[in-house]
Amino acid sequence: MTSDDEPTVPIVCTACDTTTRVPLADVADAVDRHNENVHDGEDVAEIDPAIVESLADLVVEDMGLLDDDGGTYD
């Protein structure tokens, strides 16, 4: 996979009113670096909440957490 093919993730900062896209592999570092350098380490910048919600929905569906099969838990 070339760097042009690498998926990017939107990072938003409501305090700065900015949005940027960074490669998936660099998301954590980019968010931490922005928050440390611009907001004194305060957690302000984050992955776009719509992306986080969509990902959470996919995980819940994939894990079958919403299935109502009447089963029991061990």
Side-chain angles (χ1 to χ4, degrees):
M1 181 178 279
T2 66
S3 62
D4 291 339
D5 295 336
E6 188 172 2
T8 59
V9 178
I11 305 297
V12 297
C13 180
T14 54
C16 296
D17 196 29
T18 58
T19 300
T20 189
R21 296 185 75 88
V22 298
L24 182 59
D26 299 333
V27 169
D29 288 338
V31 170
D32 288 345
R33 187 174 49 251
H34 177 86
N35 286 332
E36 188 63 37
N37 293 337
V38 180
H39 303 294
D40 295 324
E42 200 174 324
D43 291 335
V44 179
E46 62 185 350
I47 297 172
D48 185 336
I51 299 295
V52 173
E53 184 177 331
S54 293
L55 182 57
D57 290 345
L58 290 171
V59 169
V60 166
E61 182 179 322
D62 187 56
M63 292 179 70
L65 297 176
L66 297 179
D67 292 346
D68 188 18
D69 62 5
T72 59
Y73 297 100
D74 294 328

